[in-house]
Amino acid sequence: MATNNNVQSGNHATSSTESESRIDTAYLISIRGILKYACLLFCFTAFICVVSTPQCSGTHLFLAVVTFLVMIMQIIIIIIFVFRLKTKFPGIDFELLDIFATSSDALYLLIASSVLIHYCRISGQLAGGAMGLIAFLFLVSDAVIIFLAQRKETVSDTNNQDGR
């Protein structure tokens, strides 16, 4: 009986370490993770500002849709990196997906926020546009960090191959 309990407690310990290894807690507190959370916060604030104020034209709907889609894409990227799905699908370059999605999301937010700020004079709409521009800055910062990390990897890989 005593050996059976030791085996069960040993199995429980390995299963808990396996579940801990499935979640990348370092990404949650990394600069990239923090920038994505800040972007989500400001996109959500922009979305609430835009949909809760009176309509000024169709531009408010454009920013509302863009902020909603940016939130969905950034949540998907966070899930991919936190749950280490890139190790389960080695054929997909998730770093390239991340830089492409982040860059395109930043461009969409810049266009939508600029158009909204230019054409609307309602204070809630202007606040939503300003929040969208701040989210744009977070996305650009994230894209630059991803690009520099990829560049550093490429340079170190090239240096290692030249040494052979």
Side-chain angles (χ1 to χ4, degrees), residues 28-55:
L28 294 173
I29 57 173
S30 69
I31 189 72
R32 287 176 58 188
I34 292 169
L35 286 172
K36 290 202 184 303
Y37 300 136
C39 172
L40 284 174
L41 176 70
F42 280 94
C43 279
F44 182 71
T45 306
F47 180 77
I48 294 300
C49 287
V50 169
V51 298
S52 65
T53 55
Q55 302 174 3

Side-chain angles (χ1 to χ4, degrees), residues 140-160:
V140 167
S141 302
D142 190 26
V144 167
I145 289 171
I146 296 167
F147 175 74
L148 292 176
Q150 284 290 91
R151 185 174 175 203
K152 187 182 286 186
E153 272 184 22
T154 305
V155 168
S156 66
D157 288 344
T158 305
N159 290 339
N160 290 339

Side-chain angles (χ1 to χ4, degrees), residues 60 64-65 83 111 118 126:
H60 78 283
V65 169
F83 291 110
I111 293 170
H118 182 14
L126 291 174

Side-chain angles (χ1 to χ4, degrees), residues 52-67:
S52 65
T53 55
Q55 302 174 3
C56 67
S57 64
T59 57
H60 78 283
L61 184 62
F62 181 44
L63 182 62
V65 169
V66 167
T67 55

Side-chain angles (χ1 to χ4, degrees), residues 35 38-50 59-60 62-68 70-71 74 102-117 123-141:
L35 286 172
C39 172
L40 284 174
L41 176 70
F42 280 94
C43 279
F44 182 71
T45 306
F47 180 77
I48 294 300
C49 287
V50 169
T59 57
H60 78 283
F62 181 44
L63 182 62
V65 169
V66 167
T67 55
F68 185 73
V70 167
M71 286 188 294
Q74 295 302 312
T102 303
S103 302
S104 62
D105 287 350
L107 181 65
Y108 296 147
L109 269 176
L110 176 65
I111 293 170
S113 297
S114 300
V115 167
L116 184 76
I117 289 172
S123 60
Q125 302 285 336
L126 291 174
M131 294 297 145
L133 287 176
I134 295 171
F136 159 76
L137 293 175
F138 285 122
L139 284 173
V140 167
S141 302

